[in-house]
Amino acid sequence: MLTITQALVDQIVAHARKDHPDEACGVIAGPAGSDRPERFIPMLNAAMSPTFYEFDSGDLLKLYREMDDRDEEPVVIYHSHTATEAYPSRTDISYANEPGAHYVLVSTADTDGAGEFQFRSFRIVEGEVTEEEVQVVEAY
């Protein structure tokens, strides 16, 4: 189960809506070993695409060095789908290389009134996708 604050959910959703129609992406870091998302880090979608996201390799290297210095790890890796449901694509699954992370997907397909907004979390380990419950709290 992913336990996350309402403030972090709001930041992810705001980032996804701001970058629409391109996919938004980012990381929420937390203390190593805690499974507690704390620090919101929006990233640039280097692909600048409505159907694909890609972290800039330089930005990603800088982020991992920063997390290492702060004794943090990526607790949540998030991105948006702009026209489809919030479920990992084959590409998303192939790029999922953090087995301990929660992979959060939001769908901004509702931006045009086409459907309900979705916020879902998954574990992706060795190509296996498992949806997990999301518990939104005011504070930890």
Side-chain angles (χ1 to χ4, degrees):
M1 174 176 26
L2 169 62
T3 302
I4 188 169
T5 64
Q6 184 65 58
L8 288 170
V9 169
D10 293 346
Q11 287 178 292
I12 292 170
V13 170
H15 183 201
R17 289 181 187 231
K18 180 178 76 65
D19 282 12
H20 186 89
D22 288 339
E23 290 192 2
C25 57
V27 173
I28 302 178
S34 72
D35 198 38
R36 191 174 65 231
E38 291 184 351
R39 188 165 63 97
F40 178 73
I41 308 153
M43 303 283 283
L44 172 70
N45 178 355
M48 300 180 93
S49 166
T51 59
F52 180 75
Y53 83 97
E54 181 177 32
F55 292 122
D56 176 84
S57 58
D59 289 348
L60 197 57
L61 179 61
K62 181 178 155 199
L63 171 62
Y64 271 80
R65 285 181 174 157
E66 184 180 285
M67 287 190 298
D68 205 38
D69 290 346
R70 296 171 64 126
D71 198 27
E72 293 176 327
E73 63 189 7
V75 177
V76 169
I77 298 171
Y78 73 87
H79 77 280
S80 61
H81 282 182
T82 61
T84 59
E85 72 170 321
Y87 190 85
S89 69
R90 284 192 309 264
T91 303
D92 297 338
I93 295 165
S94 70
Y95 284 134
N97 60 1
E98 287 287 348
H102 303 271
Y103 285 87
V104 166
L105 278 92
V106 296
S107 172
T108 56
D110 73 314
T111 304
D112 60 4
E116 187 177 331
F117 186 83
Q118 296 177 354
F119 184 103
R120 298 166 74 184
S121 183
F122 303 88
R123 294 290 191 155
I124 305 174
V125 180
E126 296 180 6
E128 289 291 318
V129 178
T130 307
E131 186 164 6
E132 63 183 353
E133 184 181 338
V134 177
Q135 180 181 31
V136 180
V137 297
E138 285 306 311
Y140 302 122

